[in-house]
Amino acid sequence: MSSSTEADHGAASSDDAAVAGAPDKASAADPGAGSGPAAGAPPPADPGAERSVPRWRRSLRPYLLIVPALLLTGGILYPFGLGLYYTVFDFAASKPQPDFTGLENYRRIFTDSSFWDSAWVTVLYAVGAAAVETVLGVAVALLLHRSTLVGRVLEKVLILPLMIAPVIAAIIWKLMLQPSVGVVNHLLRPFGLGGVQWTDTPTGALLSSIAVDVWVYTPFVAILALAGLRSLPTSPFEAAAVDGAGWWFTFRKLTMPMLWPYVLVAVIFRFMDSLKVFDIIYALTEGGPGDSTVVLQIRAYLEAIRFQRYSFGLSYMIVLWAVVYLAAMVLVRYLGRVQNRAAEVPK
């Protein structure tokens, strides 16, 4: 009996040893079977992949990102610098071998009465166009902000003048303002105003040019003002309505102080653009009658292209650039102060 028990015990021990040794044999046959990832799992990311990129390439990445900006800046500064260089010579069609003249071109400009006449016309045009467009644009924005059916329709129609090139708009208005066959005089004839010489007098030509500019760009101011109105907080207006404040008080004390930064952005854009106007005036009056509507941009064109005094015309452009730059600096600084005051209005 005891011998049979010992035999059974020995057999069981040998079976356990065989089972225990089976994984060892499998591990020996396939070293990655026990420790590798499950079947179908993605391979682990190589932690040294990023470190494999050379250091010089990693340090070069920030500079590659600014290459487009540098190319754009160079494309702007190179022609500007070349034009500034030409202004110290006397390049002209009649003088193929120019001489160095220094600041002589600028001295001639500031001592020429035609420059001051053009500067005065430019200021009148820019101030008049920007002022009328601002007033009309804000008024149109206030009407559209009421969300009536007429306002929603006009909001879609408002952008149509902006879709027309200014020079095309000026040509259309030139035909409409013709004294004999123009549609404007035809519509005014029943009121005894037919036959008006819109562009044949100095004052009429300037006012007609400003009117075309207003027709084209008032929607731009209106769209910016409307966007500003829709972004204003409603709580101050609700509190004013509860207190019984009237429309004029609300507009003067709440709407305009908070809306003025948006309006001033439109004024800056339009005033800067009006200072360097060329297309509308040239297509409508060509600077006439006489020199009554010759602004600085047209004066520079006449000197450089028509009279072929290239350096003198470029000097006009540099002077105009300086005027626009100084005006932009003043207006942008004023915009910063206006924004600070608008931020103090209780929201």
Side-chain angles (χ1 to χ4, degrees):
M1 179 64 69
S2 60
S3 59
S4 61
T5 303
E6 292 175 0
D8 296 336
H9 179 71
S13 299
S14 61
D15 293 340
D16 294 337
V19 172
D24 297 334
K25 294 179 180 180
S27 300
D30 187 6
S35 60
D46 186 4
E50 182 66 23
R51 292 194 299 270
S52 64
V53 179
R55 179 176 297 177
W56 66 270
R57 288 180 58 184
R58 294 199 302 271
S59 61
L60 191 62
R61 287 175 184 173
Y63 300 98
L64 292 176
L65 294 175
I66 65 173
V67 166
L70 292 177
L71 292 176
L72 181 61
T73 305
I76 295 173
L77 292 181
Y78 175 74
F80 177 79
L82 188 62
L84 192 62
Y85 169 77
Y86 284 157
T87 60
V88 297
F89 291 87
D90 56 352
F91 283 95
S94 60
K95 194 167 186 179
Q97 298 297 329
D99 298 324
F100 178 80
T101 59
L103 301 178
E104 177 63 21
N105 288 320
Y106 297 101
R107 188 197 66 79
R108 288 176 55 195
I109 286 176
F110 290 112
T111 56
D112 188 1
S113 61
S114 61
F115 166 76
W116 297 106
D117 294 338
S118 297
W120 176 245
V121 174
T122 303
V123 172
L124 286 179
Y125 183 92
V127 172
V132 176
E133 289 164 8
T134 301
V135 174
L136 291 181
V138 173
V140 171
L142 291 172
L143 291 176
L144 297 181
H145 188 56
R146 295 181 177 273
S147 298
T148 61
L149 178 61
V150 177
R152 288 193 293 270
V153 173
L154 290 178
E155 185 177 351
K156 306 302 184 294
V157 180
L158 189 65
I159 63 174
L160 291 180
L162 294 176
M163 301 171 64
I164 302 175
V167 65
I168 302 299
I171 293 174
I172 294 173
W173 276 96
K174 185 176 182 178
L175 296 174
M176 295 172 60
L177 294 175
Q178 285 292 329
S180 57
V181 297
V183 66
V184 175
N185 279 344
H186 177 73
L187 295 176
L188 294 177
R189 190 167 291 115
F191 303 97
L193 299 176
V196 178
Q197 306 292 324
W198 294 101
T199 59
D200 293 340
T201 62
T203 304
L206 182 60
L207 293 179
S208 299
S209 302
I210 293 176
V212 175
D213 195 295
V214 169
W215 183 82
V216 174
Y217 290 110
T218 294
F220 172 77
V221 181
I223 290 173
L224 285 183
L226 183 61
L229 284 172
R230 291 178 176 174
S231 66
L232 298 182
T234 59
S235 55
F237 300 97
E238 294 173 352
V242 171
D243 293 339
W247 179 87
W248 175 247
F249 179 85
T250 304
F251 175 78
R252 186 166 51 92
K253 295 296 185 179
L254 292 178
T255 304
M256 279 310 298
M258 290 189 289
L259 183 64
W260 184 237
Y262 300 93
V263 177
L264 190 57
V265 171
V267 171
I268 291 174
F269 277 106
R270 290 305 313 133
F271 186 71
M272 297 300 100
D273 201 28
S274 298
L275 282 176
K276 52 188 182 65
V277 65
F278 176 84
D279 43 11
I280 290 178
I281 293 181
Y282 193 79
L284 187 66
T285 66
E286 296 186 6
D291 290 344
S292 58
T293 56
V294 175
V295 293
L296 288 176
Q297 189 89 307
I298 294 181
R299 179 71 65 184
Y301 165 79
L302 294 176
E303 293 290 345
I305 305 302
R306 182 171 296 181
F307 305 143
Q308 296 183 343
R309 296 194 287 258
Y310 309 122
S311 293
F312 196 52
L314 282 171
S315 301
Y316 263 98
M317 292 304 302
I318 296 299
V319 172
L320 178 60
W321 168 83
V323 171
V324 174
Y325 180 76
L326 292 175
M329 286 184 58
V330 173
L331 289 175
V332 169
R333 289 183 179 179
Y334 178 66
L335 174 62
R337 293 196 296 268
V338 169
Q339 288 175 335
N340 293 334
R341 287 200 299 266
E344 298 174 359
V345 177
K347 302 294 191 295

